[in-house]
Amino acid sequence: MKRERGQASIELVVGALGLALAVLAVVQLLLIARARQRALDVADRVAVLEAEGRPVPGGLRREARIERRGDLIRVTVRAAGLPALPVFEVREQAVVP
Amino acid sequence: MSERGQLSIPAVGVLLLLVLAGALLAYLTRVNEAGATAQRAADMAALAAAQLLAEDPGAPPGALRAAAERAAGANGGAVTGFRILHRQGLPSGVEVVARVTAGGSVPGAGVRRDDVPATSRAGVTYSASLDPAAFRPVDLHGARDRMAIVAAALAQVGWPYVWGGESRAEGGFDCSGLVGFAYAAAGHPLVGRPTAASLWAIGHRVAAAELEPGDLVFLGATSGAPHHVGLYAGQGAVVVAPHTGARVRVEPLSAGGWDGYARLAGAGPGPPAPADPVLEAARSAGAPAHVVAAELRLGLRADPRRAALELVAALRRTGDLSDALADQLGGRSAAALVLRDASGPALGDGFRAAVSLLPRPQPRSGPSGARHLAGDALVPVRGAPAAAGPSRSAAAGAALHAGEAVARTMARRGTQVSMQALAGLRNGTRLGLTAVSLAGPERWQDVAAAAGSAWDAGFATAEAAAAWGSAGLALDGWALLGARLNVLAAGLSAGVFGWAAITARTGRERLGNGLLAAGSALSAAGLLTAGGGLVPMIAAGSVVVPPVGLALLATGAVVCVGGYLVLHPQWCRSGLRLGGRVLDLAWRVQTAPVRLAASAARAGWPAVKSGAGKLADGVSAIVEALPTPWG
């Protein structure tokens, strides 16, 4: 009886740890997905603004690194990362006419 | 051992389901990104074509489409639809449909390829202004020699006279200045700055009966040094810059008192002036002929006489040709295009164009009716199974689309389904709310969902209060099945609302969807406390939801209600209005006896009847004015 209880506790602890890791992984994936979505949005907006001949607002430059080489616009957004994880950068590019 | 084996079977099943869901989610993510790529390709393609249209309003459709295709290809898409937008019959923009194909393998559906189209519109706005320090530039449209001279002079009709001594940039637009400009514009520039006397000196004398278009008519010629000159336009008319305070105009040859006539060698042998209805209409109305001709060429007007009269009326109102055109044609873009056509390349920097994206057209459902979220717009998706013809893959693809639609609906409404398998088993009304939120009319769905969440909050609070100090609420049989479904639905809802919050464009949407995601997550967490964890929740024959779990459920429901209120602020306003009217009604009812008694004391029984009637009217008006939940 005691042995079964001990086994159950170990299973519970391992299960809880696994669940916690899974939750952290999902959170990190969501943060990366959010950064990717943001990079897509920023690239779209910058490309449209450039094509329309309008200036890019400073707000966009603050939240993303925007580089222009000829017709190519490259946008880099840093994904918020959980502690102890490397910094993830998401890149997106657009070609303005 | 046997029990542990039984536990592991559902655990493996859940794991498989999670893997399948992950694969489906990954594929849907690819489709979503393809939608964003398609939208960008369409945007860039539309802007590229619009830029070309801005540079050359007469660019052929083939060239515009080629520019769109190049831009779409550079952004990973392909153009599948293209059309030029028109306003008043003139090009005003382009609409482009671009497509990106999302491909991948989906468990149960095999290899799939989904075409994700996106539509974009770009508009072009033209503007034009004339240099106030120069004569109007003229595009002669192939006219040569004498007819070109006349056309250039007639284009200045309405231009203010400035005597040479008080000239603008070029020595004034006086009578001889007009002649000099007309000859120069036609490719026969005169030497130096001509005056009436110098023109008379270099001209070859002709009789009045021999006049041809482009010849000159003089005043004061009998003295040998004429002081005024006009240009014969043919058909018995002279175009002339008369005197200070007047404008360049066309007048009959007989009206000017001209006493000398001459022909300049540079004009060349011209053909007899043909009868031109446009020229005739412009001459008789006193309108700049080149502009009237441009209006007809561009198809903006069909009747030259009407066009000329309208333009003259507008010129009288505004005093400026570009303003007059905008007034006549009802838009600056059309006016700019007319001026450009009339003036030609000489308009130079006076002609400008700006391009911008236009609001996206509303999407239409594809044949399957299924839709995916792409960027901030719903984009129809056409299922295109890899294998042609009816096949298991095609059937699985169709089933997948249907499944996606059901999953989206379930996910969006999961929070409302969530929990109230529990309450619904006890109360049919709650089930009715759930049914309305899932399948009722669109405008009622969120209302029913919010009401259901409020109901859930009350129910869970009551259960938590009742179960406080005890083990909790026991679930088995159908209630347990419902709770298990609720865990899945609430988890799915948390994900979907969370994603909606992440991708929301406005702060209100972000906050509202975030609250709904948090409420859903709290609901799922509350149910997961049943039996102490996930495994009993999945496998046990009966579980007990502890009071803390019920409290979490109640909190989640309250948070969800908050989310709905944030997303639908009009409900708060309606609620406040309703509350105010109820309070007003209560005050009137409470004070009615006192007011009636006072009225009776003052005026007797008729006043009582009148007061009662007014009160009844007031109650009736308030009841009729009660707001509907969607108002």
Side-chain angles (χ1 to χ4, degrees):
Chain A
M1 186 67 182
K2 274 186 182 176
R3 199 174 145 217
E4 283 180 3
R5 265 199 211 157
Q7 177 123 2
S9 301
I10 291 169
E11 284 176 357
L12 192 63
V13 169
V14 171
L17 277 176
L19 193 62
L21 281 175
V23 168
L24 287 177
V26 167
V27 168
Q28 184 61 61
L29 283 175
L30 279 176
L31 290 172
I32 292 174
R34 182 179 189 276
R36 175 145 185 75
Q37 188 70 34
R38 197 64 203 134
L40 279 168
D41 285 349
V42 172
D44 285 350
R45 290 183 59 190
V46 171
V48 168
L49 288 169
E50 294 272 0
E52 290 179 344
R54 291 193 288 158
V56 178
L60 285 181
R61 294 193 181 280
R62 276 193 292 278
E63 64 179 294
R65 192 166 69 242
I66 300 167
E67 300 163 278
R68 169 123 198 214
R69 289 179 190 163
D71 294 338
L72 184 69
I73 289 174
R74 187 169 292 160
V75 170
T76 308
V77 174
R78 294 181 72 170
L82 295 172
L85 285 181
V87 174
F88 293 97
E89 284 194 338
V90 182
R91 291 189 183 83
E92 190 59 36
Q93 61 184 37
V95 180
V96 289
Chain B
M1 188 69 187
S2 159
E3 283 180 3
R4 283 167 62 189
Q6 283 175 0
L7 287 180
S8 65
I9 291 170
V12 168
V14 168
L15 198 61
L16 278 176
L17 275 177
L18 284 176
V19 170
L20 283 174
L24 179 61
L25 195 61
Y27 180 71
L28 291 180
T29 303
R30 275 205 293 279
V31 173
N32 182 44
E33 289 192 1
T37 305
Q39 191 60 59
R40 183 190 307 148
D43 287 349
M44 291 302 109
L47 284 167
Q51 283 177 351
L52 182 56
L53 196 61
E55 291 166 12
D56 179 10
L64 295 174
R65 180 168 181 134
E69 284 172 347
R70 279 195 300 277
N75 284 283
V79 172
T80 56
F82 179 87
R83 73 185 177 103
I84 300 175
L85 306 174
H86 290 87
R87 190 183 303 128
Q88 296 177 293
L90 297 173
S92 64
V94 295
E95 181 181 280
V96 174
V97 182
R99 172 180 54 80
V100 167
T101 302
S105 177
V106 183
V111 176
R112 289 178 55 79
R113 292 174 63 80
D114 280 291
D115 286 345
V116 187
T119 304
S120 185
R121 289 178 173 185
V124 186
T125 308
Y126 301 103
S127 61
S129 59
L130 294 168
D131 182 358
F135 271 129
R136 294 170 187 150
V138 187
D139 188 341
L140 297 168
H141 287 279
R144 296 176 59 192
D145 297 333
R146 293 173 173 278
M147 294 317 297
I149 293 168
V150 172
L154 284 173
Q156 312 310 321
V157 169
W159 198 257
Y161 176 101
V162 177
W163 181 60
E166 306 168 337
S167 61
R168 300 186 193 189
E170 209 181 303
F173 306 138
D174 55 8
C175 59
S176 54
L178 174 65
V179 171
F181 168 81
Y183 270 74
H188 304 289
L190 303 174
V191 178
R193 168 69 168 90
T195 63
S198 68
L199 289 170
W200 176 251
I202 62 174
H204 169 68
R205 312 287 183 271
V206 294
E210 297 170 346
L211 279 173
E212 289 183 4
D215 287 344
L216 305 181
V217 295
F218 294 87
L219 206 58
T222 50
S223 68
H227 55 85
H228 192 40
V229 62
L231 192 135
Y232 183 65
Q235 306 288 317
V238 172
V239 56
V240 61
H243 52 78
T244 300
R247 292 173 180 269
V248 176
R249 68 188 183 209
V250 178
E251 58 187 33
L253 178 65
S254 57
W258 310 105
D259 56 7
Y261 311 94
R263 179 169 299 154
L264 298 184
D276 181 347
V278 176
L279 215 56
E280 186 54 41
R283 269 198 300 244
S284 64
H290 68 319
V291 175
V292 177
E295 289 182 6
L296 268 71
R297 263 195 305 276
L298 294 175
L300 292 168
R301 292 291 183 271
D303 179 5
R305 182 172 168 72
R306 186 183 157 210
L309 289 172
E310 284 178 355
L311 183 56
V312 168
L315 267 169
R316 282 201 194 103
R317 282 195 296 273
T318 62
D320 177 81
L321 183 57
S322 54
D323 290 343
L325 275 170
D327 183 48
Q328 179 202 3
L329 302 173
R332 292 223 161 256
S333 257
L337 287 173
V338 168
L339 266 187
R340 184 179 185 278
D341 184 83
S343 308
L347 189 56
D349 293 339
F351 181 77
R352 288 173 297 277
V355 301
S356 61
L357 279 187
L358 301 175
R360 290 173 192 160
Q362 289 298 311
R364 297 177 292 276
S365 291
S368 68
R371 293 174 176 209
H372 289 296
L373 277 173
D376 64 340
L378 282 170
V379 175
V381 174
R382 180 166 56 82
S391 65
R392 284 178 59 199
S393 171
L400 184 65
H401 273 314
E404 287 168 21
V406 171
R408 265 191 301 278
T409 306
M410 286 295 290
R412 180 147 173 71
R413 301 297 165 201
T415 307
Q416 297 80 57
V417 176
S418 138
M419 301 233 306
Q420 290 335 311
L422 289 174
L425 288 171
R426 295 187 174 194
N427 193 307
T429 307
R430 180 63 185 89
L431 271 185
L433 284 175
T434 301
V436 171
S437 74
L438 282 171
E442 182 74 27
R443 64 166 56 171
W444 280 102
Q445 287 184 354
D446 273 8
V447 177
S453 289
W455 182 298
D456 296 344
F459 166 80
T461 304
E463 289 293 343
W468 207 259
S470 70
L473 178 65
L475 299 175
D476 56 17
W478 287 105
L480 182 54
L481 178 64
R484 285 170 178 158
L485 288 174
N486 293 341
V487 171
L488 284 175
L492 200 56
S493 292
V496 169
F497 284 126
W499 182 251
I502 286 169
T503 57
R505 288 291 176 119
T506 65
R508 178 182 297 283
E509 288 176 2
R510 194 170 298 123
L511 178 61
N513 285 305
L515 285 173
L516 287 170
S520 302
L522 283 172
S523 298
L527 284 169
L528 280 174
T529 60
L534 183 61
V535 173
M537 188 65 192
I538 293 170
S542 69
V543 295
V544 174
V545 184
V548 67
L550 292 169
L552 281 174
L553 284 169
T555 309
V558 169
V559 172
C560 282
V561 172
Y564 282 115
L565 290 179
V566 168
L567 287 175
H568 299 279
Q570 73 273 21
W571 294 355
C572 300
R573 289 194 290 270
S574 297
L576 287 174
R577 276 203 304 271
L578 178 63
R581 282 176 178 149
V582 167
L583 285 176
D584 186 56
L585 180 63
W587 181 83
R588 284 171 186 272
V589 169
Q590 281 179 0
T591 58
V594 179
R595 286 186 288 120
L596 278 173
S599 297
R602 276 201 307 271
W605 179 240
V608 175
K609 283 200 293 186
S610 166
K614 284 180 182 171
L615 181 63
D617 290 344
V619 171
S620 165
I622 289 169
V623 170
E624 284 176 6
L626 286 178
T628 54
W630 60 91

